[in-house]
Structure formats: structure tokens, C-alpha cells
Amino acid sequence: MTVLGTTDLHGNVYNWNYFANKAYSDAKGNEIGVAKAATLIKAMREERGADRCITLDAGDTIQGTPLAYYYAKIDPITGGAKHPMATAMNAVGYDAAALGNHEYNYGLDTLRAFERQCRHPLLSANSVDWNTRRPIFRPYVMKRIHVRGQKPVTVGILGLVTPGVAIWDAANVEGKVRFPGIVEQAKVMVPRMKREGADVVVVSCHSGATTSSSYGDALPYPENASSLLAAQVPDIDAILVGHAHVEIPQQFVTNEKTGRKVLLTEPLYWGMRVAVMDLDLEQVRGRWQVTKAAGSLLNANKAPEDPRIAALVRPAHEKVLTYVNSVIGTSTEAMSASTSRYQDTAAMDFINLVQGQAVEDALVGTPQAGLPVLSIAAPFNKDAAIPAGDVTVRDVAGLYIFDNTLLGITLTGAQVKAYLEWSARYFKKVTGAGPFTADQVTNAVTDTAPGGTPDYNYDIMGGLDAPLTYDIDIAQDPGARITNLQYAGAAIDPAQQFVIAINNYRQSGGGNFPDVKSAPVVYNRQVEIRQLLIDWVTAKGTIDPPAFASTDWRLTSGGAPVVVTG
């Protein structure tokens, strides 16, 4: 039998970049979209035999592109619209899909509406009711593969999601859904599946293979646990891995109890790859058993789009193109985020301006109204750019590609410094002032980011009504890098209270930044930051970078400015 798999589709049906308004392309020649993946899946079914194939997805389906956003917020599926990802996946004919953490971004009502529109079950054994501790989605499903002249093979398919949902989407799940550990819940479910007759157990697991947690010890369960799952839970034959956005054609993990090897495969993301997991079975004492397993990946850049899926989703795609290309204002100068990871840019200053103003305006008449406001922003998308002249929805949305909401918290000056020190772990330690390439100084490997610190876990902090200025000395060890920290031109007072405009991902513990999770919350209206940016441009009409942009931080080495060439 063959298990075919995708993961982390993130709202991509076509090979299209909505932010650039052109076909998707990258330096590695990848192409994206479930329409291309469908062509590969169809070809494998024809080659292997459709009756011997099971098609799965490992989650993060309904968030990530303007196409996905439009049908969550602009013309929401809760109001009767059909989600294009449901349309596409139904046409592919998936057998099951695990939930990913981003499935919870828009709340349970949207997720339930999506579930109703899918012909395949959405699985999540460790999304459990807050009170009863029972799964609120189907934990697993059984599929039968018929074998001529013999009894059928019963395949149990289990779905699991990273427990980080409890942190990242706390506003949507607190008091409603709990997320026990992946290993812990599988130890309950896999024996149950075996008792119900599963000959083969395949797990669709939205959790990376390299054991680690971006949230440190904020939860008792690791974020990325697929290898632990394979090692610690007996009777699993294969795991379709998601969440980490990496490419794993074939990896074997030996189960500690049985000594059997478990196959892990992860097909990158956005439909760039399709996993092919071939399992050879034999009957042993009347029961089917996997005797050999092999994994490989198919590249979507070798395949045309499936014409049926492309046609089915085209009306939704065209509607979204009209929306994202509508002009909402102008900019007096171009702003690019391409260098935001290693130098102060107007693009990041703009995000901090809008966030800071929104929080400051909301605090009028509250006890915190007189406190100085700071704001944090991360360089999510180095391809983002606001052009000089007309500015469209997609231009602004490209600055903020995640569906985060805005909060306000209070920190002391000492906590602000600790926050910046944590953020500065993003940089690799260097000798000398360069010139360096960006890769030589960014995305440092840390204990919480063994694959390198992602751009979204580096925060730039700025002041609203007065400048917050600092140097990051990357010749120093992490924890001792922030120098010349000043607010309004004077050394920051460790006891001074500040209001920090911060996104929900960070405030709830994402990235494991110090103090923020326990800090008092003074603003939380559940307003999406991306929409705040769009609304600001629509209301003001003009973005004027010289009016708000300034160089408030820099990289140094032993006090000398660091030169980064890009």
C-alpha cells in the first residue's frame, strides 16, 4: 500500500504569490499549490493503483494567503461562502487530514464550518474538551484496503497537533479546548486502534521531527515531537510529519520498546512536495504486518496544475485578486523590508507606528494613559515592499503575513532590556565589523531553535512619542549584547513602566520571550494587526516615511558599526 501526503498547504491552491501579484518563484525553483500536488497524487494513484493508496494531509490548511484570509474574514465561510481549500481538497479526494495549529487562528466557529465543508474527516486526538478531556474532533479513522482472495487490510489513521496551540491561540481556545502531549495522547489512542482491528497504524502529525520547543518550558509538552512519538509509542508504522516546513524524504526512528523502525516523511510546505510512503505487508499468523517501508518525495515543479481543481477554485481566486489589488492610498516614498533583519527600516517603523498609535488611543481615560508606549515588530517577510505612489491592499498585507491580533502589556525598563537581550539571540556571534552577508549574522542556532532562530522570533522595538534607541553588539555572547539603551535621549530607567504594543503570538509565549506572558494586559480588543495597517492607510490616505522613520538601533561589534551586505 502507499500513503500519499501533503502538509502545511497554508491556503495555497495555485502557484501564485498574492503579495507580488505574479506566479510564485524562489531561488530553489520550487512551485506551490494543491492544484499541482493533485496532479502528482493522481499520477501515483494510477501507477500504484487507487485502491492501494491512502491520501492524507498533516495540517495548517486554512491560513496563510489572502485567499484563505478572504474566506475567513471578508466573505467568511461562517456566513455561507465555500472555502476554496475545501473545494480543492474535496476534488483531490483526501482520506483524512490532521488539524494544524493554524486551523485555530480564526476560532472554533470557522474551523467547524470548514470541517462541515470537507468530505474527509479532520482528525485531532489531542484537541480535547476543556472539561471532559475527550477529543472534540475525531481522533482517528479506519480505512480498509481490499486484497483479492484474502481478508482486507485495516489501516488506522491517527491525527495529532502540536500542543503549542494552547499558547499561540489562547484567546480562541482558553476555557474550551486543551492540548495534551502528542506522545501522551498517542499512548492512549494507538492501543485502542489496535484493539479495534488496525493492522497498520499511520499517524498524520502536525509536529516537527527535530525535538524542540519555541516556547521553551512554558508547556510540559514539546512543540516538535514526531521523533519522540515514533520512539516511545509502539505499533506505529509510519508518520506523515508537518509543522516544521522542512523536507524529509525518508527518516527511520527505532521504537524503544519493540525495536521496529518507524518511517517518517515530511513533504516541505505549500504543496511544494508530495510524500510517497510505500509499505509492504505480509500476513503473519493471520494478521497483516508491515515488513518493509520506504519514503520519497515528489517535486511539484515537475507537474502542471490539475485543470479540474484550477477551474473549480478560479472564481474565488479572481474575487480575491480584485480585493487585494484595490488601491487604498499612496506613499511618498518606497519602503522595503528586505534589510529589516539587520538594520532599522521605515517598513518596520511603520508597523510599530500603527500598533503604538492603536494602543495609545485605546488607553485614553485609563490608568495607563500617561505611560510611554513602545511597540515590537518582527521582519516576517523580507520580500515585502510598499511602493512609491499607489498602495494596494496586497502591498500593505505583505508587511504582515500572519493573522496576529494586537495587545498592550506593561513592562519595566529592566524587563524591556531583558526582552531585547532575548531577541538579540537571533544574531550569530561574530569577530570584527564585516562586511558580512546576512546569513553570516542572522538565524543563530540556540537551545530553543536547533534549526536556527526564525525571522519571526526576532523583534525590533521602537518608541511611539519618543525614540527608544539601542545598539546590539554581536561580538558579545547572547545575554550581554544590548548597549546604549535609551528612551527619549536618556539612559532607560530600570523601574520605569512602559506599555508595549505586542502581538498575541508573542504575548502568549511564542518565542519564549521573558516576562511577557505574566505581564499585565492593558489592551486586548482582538483586532488583527494586518487589518489595522490596511485601515490606517485607508483612513490617512498617505504614508509619509520621513514623518515617522528614524534609525534607532544598529548592529555593532565591539562598539564599531557592523556592515552587512545583504
Side-chain angles (χ1 to χ4, degrees):
M1 60 170 285
T2 297
V3 178
L4 304 170
T6 55
T7 191
D8 295 272
L9 293 170
H10 283 287
N12 287 285
V13 175
Y14 301 100
N15 186 57
W16 190 257
N17 182 336
Y18 288 92
F19 300 118
N21 200 35
K22 61 182 182 181
Y24 175 86
S25 64
D26 64 22
K28 296 181 179 178
N30 289 309
E31 296 185 3
I32 64 174
V34 69
K36 281 180 168 287
T39 299
L40 297 173
I41 290 167
K42 185 182 292 185
M44 291 307 299
R45 288 171 177 164
E46 290 175 358
E47 179 181 307
R48 299 287 203 271
D51 58 338
R52 299 291 176 92
C53 291
I54 286 175
T55 305
L56 306 178
D57 184 81
D60 276 5
T61 303
I62 62 171
Q63 177 278 338
T65 61
L67 183 71
Y69 178 82
Y70 189 90
Y71 286 96
K73 292 292 188 178
I74 307 300
D75 184 12
I77 59 174
T78 50
K82 183 70 176 287
H83 203 293
M85 291 304 293
T87 299
M89 295 180 82
N90 288 343
V92 172
Y94 280 82
D95 291 288
L99 295 183
N101 53 289
H102 282 289
E103 261 64 78
Y104 286 93
N105 284 174
Y106 300 119
L108 287 171
D109 289 345
T110 297
L111 180 50
R112 288 299 189 191
F114 179 69
E115 180 187 34
R116 288 191 295 271
Q117 292 181 359
C118 291
R119 293 179 191 148
H120 57 272
L122 303 184
L123 307 178
S124 195
N126 64 326
S127 295
V128 304
D129 182 86
W130 190 267
N131 297 313
T132 67
R133 311 296 174 98
R134 294 174 179 165
I136 64 169
F137 291 88
R138 290 179 70 173
Y140 56 84
V141 66
M142 298 290 197
K143 295 285 181 178
R144 282 191 168 79
I145 293 178
H146 294 280
V147 183
R148 184 177 298 173
Q150 309 214 41
K151 73 172 190 175
V153 179
T154 301
V155 182
I157 303 161
L158 176 68
L160 294 161
V161 65
T162 175
V165 183
I167 290 176
W168 306 321
D169 271 304
N172 291 328
V173 300
E174 186 78 22
K176 301 174 183 176
V177 192
R178 297 181 191 270
F179 298 88
I182 283 170
V183 170
E184 290 76 7
Q185 199 72 345
K187 284 182 176 178
V188 173
M189 294 297 171
V190 173
R192 187 178 299 175
M193 295 164 72
K194 295 298 284 187
R195 286 196 300 271
E196 291 181 17
D199 300 303
V200 179
V201 173
V202 177
V203 184
S204 187
C205 187
H206 194 81
S207 178
T210 301
T211 306
S212 61
S213 292
S214 65
Y215 45 73
D217 59 359
L219 293 174
Y221 314 114
E223 173 184 354
N224 296 301
S226 283
S227 292
L228 290 177
L229 174 66
Q232 297 179 9
V233 181
D235 296 324
I236 294 171
D237 295 291
I239 302 174
L240 176 66
V241 179
H243 184 59
H245 287 212
V246 298
E247 189 169 6
I248 304 175
Q250 175 179 278
Q251 178 180 328
F252 289 101
V253 174
T254 301
N255 186 268
E256 295 166 358
K257 185 172 182 179
T258 66
R260 295 181 61 225
K261 293 185 184 302
V262 181
L263 171 65
L264 279 67
T265 301
E266 183 170 3
L268 210 49
Y269 58 95
W270 297 356
M272 291 178 181
R273 305 287 184 272
V274 170
V276 180
M277 307 168 82
D278 289 316
L279 306 177
D280 291 350
L281 288 79
E282 292 180 6
Q283 277 203 358
V284 179
R285 292 187 295 277
R287 292 290 300 267
W288 290 105
Q289 288 187 8
V290 174
T291 56
K292 183 181 178 182
S296 60
L297 298 176
L298 304 177
N299 196 325
N301 68 8
K302 308 288 190 204
E305 290 179 341
D306 181 278
R308 178 167 174 260
I309 290 173
L312 285 170
V313 180
R314 186 69 59 190
H317 174 68
E318 296 293 344
K319 188 182 293 186
V320 172
L321 287 179
T322 300
Y323 165 70
V324 299
N325 288 301
S326 59
V327 174
I328 55 173
T330 62
S331 182
T332 62
E333 294 181 2
M335 297 190 300
S336 171
S338 63
T339 62
S340 296
R341 296 168 295 155
Y342 51 85
Q343 65 181 206
D344 202 347
T345 64
M348 295 298 103
D349 290 347
F350 175 60
I351 295 172
N352 278 331
L353 170 73
V354 174
Q355 293 181 159
Q357 285 181 347
V359 170
E360 186 176 71
D361 291 348
L363 293 179
V364 172
T366 73
Q368 294 80 27
L371 294 179
V373 175
L374 309 176
S375 178
I376 63 100
F380 295 138
N381 180 12
K382 58 180 175 287
D383 296 324
I386 300 291
D390 287 346
V391 176
T392 65
V393 168
R394 67 176 171 84
D395 295 326
V396 179
L399 283 179
Y400 213 98
I401 58 176
F402 293 113
D403 299 312
N404 295 336
T405 59
L406 184 65
L407 292 92
I409 62 173
T410 56
L411 295 178
T412 66
Q415 290 172 323
V416 166
K417 184 176 187 299
Y419 189 105
L420 291 170
E421 289 286 8
W422 185 267
S423 183
R425 288 165 31 115
Y426 170 78
F427 294 105
K428 297 169 183 172
K429 186 176 180 180
V430 302
T431 302
F436 300 106
T437 65
D439 289 343
Q440 288 176 313
V441 298
T442 62
N443 306 110
V445 170
T446 69
D447 55 339
T448 56
T453 305
D455 296 342
Y456 61 76
N457 276 339
Y458 169 57
D459 280 350
I460 296 150
M461 189 177 288
L464 179 62
D465 297 316
L468 179 79
T469 58
Y470 55 96
D471 294 342
I472 305 173
D473 192 335
I474 57 175
Q476 306 303 316
D477 290 330
R481 290 177 163 178
I482 302 301
T483 62
N484 302 322
L485 178 60
Q486 297 185 337
Y487 179 73
I492 200 165
D493 180 353
Q496 169 72 56
Q497 288 281 320
F498 294 90
V499 173
I500 315 296
I502 192 168
N503 66 65
N504 68 297
Y505 173 82
R506 189 70 76 234
Q507 183 273 336
S508 59
N512 202 32
F513 279 61
D515 303 312
V516 294
K517 194 173 181 185
S518 59
V521 174
V522 297
Y523 166 84
N524 184 12
R525 293 185 180 174
Q526 295 290 300
V527 180
E528 290 186 2
I529 295 168
R530 177 171 49 211
Q531 196 60 44
L532 277 174
L533 297 171
I534 293 168
D535 291 347
W536 191 98
V537 177
T538 303
K540 303 287 185 183
T542 301
I543 306 171
D544 185 24
F548 57 79
S550 57
T551 302
D552 296 331
W553 66 273
R554 62 177 185 162
L555 297 182
T556 64
S557 176
V562 168
V563 177
V564 182
T565 58

